Structures are given as structure tokens and as C-alpha cells.
Amino acid sequence: RDFLKTAGVGALAAGASVSLPARAEGPTIKWRLASSFPKSLDTIYGGAETLSRRVAELTDGRFEIRVFAGGELVPAFGVLDAVQQNTVECGHTASYYYYGKNKALAAETTLPFGLNTRQLTSWVMADEGMGLLREMFAEYDILNFPGGSTGAQMGGWYRREIKSLEDLKGLKIRIPGFGAEIFSRLGAVPQSLPGGEIYPSLERGAIDAAEWTVPYDDEKLGFHKVAKYYYYPGWWETGTHLVFYVNKDQWAALPPSYQAAFEVAANEAHLEMLARYDAKNPPALQRLIAGGAELRRFPDDVLLKAYETAHQVYAEEAEKNPVFKRLYDSMMAFQERSDAWWGVAELPMSNLRQAV
Ligand code: PYR
């Protein structure tokens, strides 16, 4: 931007004449956005702030989106209902919080052992993902937009060490979406809690373990103070996507240039969130380990059984849920093509760098 300012001054100084076209006046529009996330998590909650700031900048302040944290306007897991019912015009959330309504919604966020973040973004933006997702969300009178990504997540914090599948029996763990269903089939007792409510439950022993996202957030939430073992890989969150929801009628009432501003700002928020996490996670993980967190890989029997169970769950769901089947088949076909390419270029390259 400084460069543009300087270039502008130079052009004027050189005597170029600049005539600005008259700006079309747009209406003043004020929206409220209900987030599922707590304000303390600047990166994930910040996705909505970026959207709001950029939309305002792109419309000369005429389109204002006020952001409310999880629980402020509506419950953290009430965002889909609130946008569908037009209680708020838009929201920022993770669709797998609505797993109970339709498991297909969870596929928009992430699937255990599924696509990584880049693959999921590519499926959504450059393959058939967006078209299929828009069809699904039309049933809720909602339009979905990319809302950021955490990248691959960690496997969470455990008070007790998980040495084998046996150790999952009866384990009370906070975990959302398909991950919760798989953990339950492995003998654990999953709990559904919004981000802002996890720490107090773990601290008072109401749960034995909790997963949220990645080291930068996990450190902020303080899980390391009450559970020592930090597990990887987070096989149920291979590239978690957040999402902006917009009520269909509210969207239709926007001038096209405001719609374009919203789309541009959502895309920027999507990219920016992942870039921030990728920059902030490495030092956060180092700090956590230096502070006493014990990093552990899930045992092989857990990973193998979880993989097998995930595919059983998908097969059962695809059998009875045509919306899920369409999304799942498309994602799996994409994953097969994409993995073949990653196996040639990205993976060997990063393996080589780590090995030398
Ligand atoms: C979670 O709720 O677990 C997320 O990763 C956002």
C-alpha cells in the first residue's frame, strides 16, 4: 500500500492528470455475525473480524458486519439455526457442530483420514465441492463461504497416557463430529462442548481428555496446565475448514458489489487464518514442550482400528444418506487423484528435506 501511495504521488508530481469517476452510492447495510468461537482465540475468532474489516473497507464503510463471540447472541452451537431462521444475517462456525442434524454437514469441515487442508480447499474452490455444498446448504436457506482453516490438528490432551486401544475404554473426551462417533465405537465417551467451555471441564475432571485445534490455540486455552500428554496425529481433523454462513434472503437483498466484497473478504479470511496458524504453531509447540507437555504419537492399534472404523461409519452413512454419499464419493475420488500427485511431488520433497 505504501508503494501505491508513493507511485500515486510520483504520477501527480510528474503532472499526470487524474480524474476520479463519480462513485455510485450504495445503501448502508448493518449485519450481525454470530461466531461459535471465543474472542480469546484471536486466530480462529479473528477470521470473522477480518471478514468484517475487509467488507467495510471494500464498501467505504457502507456494509457493516458486527461480530459477536460464541454465546453472546446465540449459543456457540446455535449458529446454523440462527442463520437459517434469520435471527442473525450471518455466522462463523464449523459445520460438524451440526452433525446431529445431518452427518453430511460434517464433511464440509473435515473427515477423519480425509483430505488435507490444501486438498479440501482445492476440492471446494476448483473441483465440484462448492456446487455440492451449496446444494446441501440450500436445504437450510444458507449460503456457505470458505471461513478459514486450522490445517491438520493435534490429537488433544490426555490426563493419562494412551498406550493401547484398551486405554480408550470409558475415556471421557471432548471431540466433535465423525471423530466423536469413531471414539465412541472404540469405547470412549465423547462429549460435545464449545471451545470456550472445554478448559473448565478438563480442569475440574468432568472430562479426562480434550481436543481443540492446534498448538497455538491449545496453549492459549491452557490445557497443558491440567493434562500432560499431547497426542498426534489428529487423524479425525486432517485439514479442518471453518465456514461463513449467510442467510439466503439477506444475501439476495445485497447489491452485487457488496456480495462481491463479501466473497473477496471471505477468501482473504480463509487464506489468512491458515497462514497465521502455520506461522504461530511451530513456536507454540516448542513452548508447550519446554513447559512440560509430553508429546506422544497415538499407538498403532489405535490408529489402525480408528481407520477401519472410520470407513465402516462412512459406508453405513452412505447407505442411508444420499447427501452424504454424494459429498463423500466426490471427495474420495478427488482424494485418490490428488494423493497420487502429492505422492510424486509434495510428499517426497518434504520427506527428503526432513531426511537430509
Ligand atoms: C473444534 O471444535 O474442535 C475445532 O477444531 C474448531
Side-chain angles (χ1 to χ4, degrees):
R1 291 197 196 120
D2 286 348
F3 162 76
L4 290 178
K5 267 189 214 146
T6 318
V9 168
L12 286 177
S17 77
V18 177
S19 68
L20 296 172
R23 253 187 181 283
E25 280 290 314
T28 298
I29 293 185
K30 290 180 198 276
W31 276 12
R32 297 184 308 169
L33 178 148
S35 170
S36 288
F37 308 114
K39 253 188 203 132
S40 60
L41 299 180
D42 58 323
T43 307
I44 198 163
Y45 175 84
E49 288 183 317
T50 296
L51 173 86
S52 160
R53 181 172 47 79
R54 297 298 273 155
V55 160
E57 286 169 0
L58 288 165
T59 59
D60 290 328
R62 285 192 284 264
F63 184 9
E64 184 189 302
I65 301 175
R66 219 173 134 200
V67 180
F68 293 86
E72 266 183 353
L73 281 182
V74 299
F77 289 169
V79 172
L80 187 145
D81 283 344
V83 177
Q84 181 179 7
Q85 291 156 14
N86 210 1
T87 311
V88 291
E89 293 81 6
C90 61
H92 188 217
T93 187
S95 298
Y96 62 6
Y97 294 152
Y98 316 106
Y99 186 77
K101 289 184 189 292
N102 182 351
K103 292 179 188 176
L105 289 164
E108 195 266 336
T109 311
T110 186
L111 284 181
F113 301 102
L115 301 170
N116 69 25
T117 284
R118 254 178 67 188
Q119 291 174 321
L120 188 54
T121 294
S122 171
W123 177 74
V124 172
M125 292 185 154
D127 197 72
E128 51 185 22
M130 187 53 100
L132 293 174
L133 293 171
R134 284 275 162 96
E135 265 176 45
M136 171 172 73
F137 282 108
E139 288 179 33
Y140 301 89
D141 294 334
I142 282 174
L143 278 93
N144 57 297
F145 297 85
S149 174
T150 61
Q153 295 196 5
M154 291 294 289
W157 297 86
Y158 299 73
R159 290 175 178 282
R160 285 185 279 110
E161 204 170 348
I162 305 297
K163 294 194 180 136
S164 77
L165 210 42
E166 261 318 288
D167 296 324
L168 295 185
K169 298 272 178 297
L171 183 87
K172 281 193 244 145
I173 177 170
R174 182 277 173 188
I175 179 171
F178 277 104
E181 172 131 10
I182 297 163
F183 260 81
S184 148
R185 293 193 189 196
L186 301 187
V189 186
Q191 316 278 318
S192 163
L193 289 170
E197 294 173 29
I198 306 172
Y199 180 83
S201 291
L202 191 61
E203 203 241 333
R204 68 170 190 273
I207 52 177
D208 311 307
E211 74 81 45
W212 171 245
T213 57
V214 286
Y216 180 70
D217 278 3
D218 288 0
E219 182 188 37
K220 272 183 180 284
L221 291 178
F223 301 136
H224 56 290
K225 295 181 202 144
V226 286
K228 170 160 114 179
Y229 298 102
Y230 196 24
Y231 272 83
Y232 72 93
W235 46 265
W236 57 94
E237 307 235 27
T238 55
T240 304
H241 270 196
L242 297 318
V243 62
F244 293 114
Y245 290 161
V246 175
N247 175 275
K248 168 173 96 39
D249 295 335
Q250 297 292 343
W251 180 256
L254 287 180
S257 63
Y258 290 22
Q259 291 180 340
F262 191 101
E263 276 171 336
V264 166
N267 286 344
E268 182 172 311
H270 185 72
L271 176 68
E272 181 190 71
M273 189 189 295
L274 182 63
R276 285 183 174 170
Y277 275 125
D278 280 344
K280 289 170 185 223
N281 282 329
L285 182 60
Q286 278 183 351
R287 283 192 301 271
L288 286 166
I289 293 171
E294 298 270 349
L295 198 58
R296 293 280 187 280
R297 182 179 178 275
F298 279 117
D300 285 348
D301 65 342
V302 170
L303 291 173
L304 289 172
K305 189 73 185 163
Y307 184 85
E308 195 185 297
T309 308
H311 288 89
Q312 263 163 19
V313 171
Y314 301 148
E316 287 169 24
E317 191 60 24
E319 207 37 56
K320 57 187 183 215
N321 182 343
V323 179
F324 176 76
K325 182 169 167 33
R326 265 206 305 283
L327 292 173
Y328 179 72
D329 287 349
S330 172
M331 277 178 157
M332 288 304 111
F334 183 88
Q335 181 163 313
E336 208 175 307
R337 291 194 297 278
S338 179
D339 280 354
W341 159 237
W342 277 68
V344 170
E346 298 282 352
L347 295 180
M349 198 56 244
S350 64
N351 290 344
L352 182 66
R353 277 213 325 269
Q354 305 243 352
V356 291

Coordinates of all heavy atoms in Angstrom, one line a residue, residues 18 21-22 28 37 47 58-59 93 117 121 190 199 248 258 279 293 301 308 337 353:
V18 N -5.4 13.3 -13.0 CA -6.2 12.1 -12.6 C -7.6 12.6 -12.4 O -7.9 13.6 -11.7 CB -5.7 11.6 -11.2 CG1 -6.6 10.5 -10.7 CG2 -4.2 11.2 -11.3
P21 N -13.8 8.9 -11.3 CA -15.2 8.7 -11.7 C -16.1 8.9 -10.4 O -15.7 8.7 -9.3 CB -15.3 7.3 -12.2 CG -14.2 6.6 -11.6 CD -13.1 7.6 -11.3
A22 N -17.3 9.4 -10.7 CA -18.2 9.6 -9.5 C -18.5 8.2 -9.0 O -18.7 7.3 -9.7 CB -19.5 10.3 -10.0
T28 N -26.6 1.8 3.1 CA -26.0 1.4 4.4 C -26.6 0.1 4.8 O -27.9 0.1 5.0 CB -26.1 2.5 5.4 OG1 -25.5 3.7 4.9 CG2 -25.5 2.1 6.7
F37 N -17.0 -19.1 18.2 CA -15.7 -19.1 18.8 C -15.5 -18.1 19.9 O -16.1 -17.0 19.8 CB -14.6 -19.0 17.8 CG -14.8 -20.0 16.7 CD1 -15.1 -19.6 15.4 CD2 -14.8 -21.4 16.9 CE1 -15.4 -20.5 14.4 CE2 -15.0 -22.3 15.9 CZ -15.3 -21.9 14.6
G47 N -11.0 -14.7 12.1 CA -11.4 -14.9 10.7 C -12.6 -14.0 10.5 O -12.7 -13.4 9.4
L58 N -14.0 -2.4 1.7 CA -14.3 -2.5 0.2 C -15.6 -1.8 -0.1 O -15.9 -1.6 -1.3 CB -14.4 -4.0 -0.1 CG -13.1 -4.8 -0.2 CD1 -13.3 -6.3 -0.2 CD2 -12.3 -4.4 -1.4
T59 N -16.4 -1.4 0.9 CA -17.6 -0.7 0.6 C -17.6 0.7 1.2 O -18.7 1.2 1.4 CB -18.8 -1.5 1.1 OG1 -18.7 -1.7 2.6 CG2 -19.0 -2.9 0.5
T93 N -18.6 -20.5 11.9 CA -18.7 -21.7 12.7 C -18.0 -22.8 12.0 O -17.2 -22.7 11.1 CB -20.2 -22.0 12.9 OG1 -20.4 -23.0 13.8 CG2 -20.9 -22.3 11.5
T117 N -5.7 -29.8 4.3 CA -6.2 -28.5 4.1 C -6.2 -28.0 2.6 O -7.1 -27.5 2.1 CB -5.5 -27.5 5.0 OG1 -6.0 -27.7 6.3 CG2 -5.7 -26.1 4.6
T121 N -9.4 -27.3 0.3 CA -9.7 -26.0 -0.4 C -9.8 -26.2 -1.9 O -10.6 -25.6 -2.5 CB -8.5 -25.0 0.0 OG1 -8.6 -24.8 1.4 CG2 -8.6 -23.7 -0.8
P190 N -17.5 -39.7 24.2 CA -17.3 -38.4 23.7 C -18.2 -37.4 24.3 O -19.4 -37.7 24.6 CB -17.5 -38.5 22.2 CG -17.8 -39.9 21.9 CD -18.1 -40.6 23.2
Y199 N -11.9 -25.9 28.8 CA -10.9 -25.9 29.9 C -11.5 -26.1 31.3 O -11.0 -27.0 32.0 CB -10.1 -24.6 29.8 CG -9.1 -24.5 31.0 CD1 -7.8 -25.2 30.8 CD2 -9.4 -24.0 32.2 CE1 -6.9 -25.2 31.9 CE2 -8.5 -24.0 33.2 CZ -7.3 -24.6 33.1 OH -6.4 -24.6 34.1
K248 N -30.0 -16.9 3.1 CA -30.3 -16.8 1.7 C -31.0 -15.5 1.3 O -30.7 -14.8 0.3 CB -31.2 -18.0 1.3 CG -31.8 -18.0 0.0 CD -32.4 -19.3 -0.3 CE -33.9 -19.4 -0.1 NZ -35.0 -19.0 -0.1
Y258 N -21.7 -5.5 -3.1 CA -21.5 -5.9 -1.7 C -21.3 -7.4 -1.6 O -20.6 -7.9 -0.7 CB -22.7 -5.5 -0.8 CG -22.8 -4.0 -0.6 CD1 -22.2 -3.1 -1.4 CD2 -23.6 -3.5 0.5 CE1 -22.4 -1.7 -1.2 CE2 -23.7 -2.2 0.8 CZ -23.2 -1.3 -0.1 OH -23.3 0.1 0.2
A279 N 2.3 -20.0 10.9 CA 3.4 -19.3 11.4 C 3.4 -19.4 13.0 O 4.5 -19.4 13.5 CB 3.3 -17.8 11.1
A293 N 4.9 -30.3 28.5 CA 4.0 -31.2 27.7 C 4.7 -32.4 27.2 O 5.9 -32.3 26.7 CB 3.3 -30.4 26.6
D301 N -2.2 -49.6 17.2 CA -3.5 -50.3 17.3 C -4.7 -49.3 17.3 O -5.7 -49.6 16.7 CB -3.6 -51.3 18.4 CG -3.5 -50.7 19.8 OD1 -3.1 -49.5 19.9 OD2 -3.9 -51.4 20.8
E308 N -10.1 -48.2 10.3 CA -11.1 -49.3 9.9 C -12.5 -48.8 10.3 O -13.4 -48.9 9.5 CB -10.7 -50.5 10.7 CG -11.3 -51.8 10.2 CD -10.8 -52.9 11.3 OE1 -9.6 -53.1 11.4 OE2 -11.7 -53.4 11.9
R337 N -7.1 -39.0 -6.7 CA -6.4 -38.3 -7.8 C -5.3 -37.5 -7.1 O -4.1 -37.4 -7.6 CB -7.3 -37.4 -8.6 CG -8.3 -38.0 -9.5 CD -8.9 -37.0 -10.5 NE -9.6 -35.9 -9.9 CZ -10.9 -36.0 -9.5 NH1 -11.5 -37.1 -9.6 NH2 -11.5 -34.9 -9.0
R353 N 13.6 -33.3 2.5 CA 14.1 -32.2 3.3 C 14.3 -32.6 4.7 O 15.3 -32.2 5.4 CB 13.1 -31.0 3.2 CG 13.3 -30.2 2.0 CD 13.0 -28.7 2.3 NE 11.9 -28.5 3.3 CZ 10.6 -28.4 3.0 NH1 10.2 -28.4 1.7 NH2 9.8 -28.3 3.9

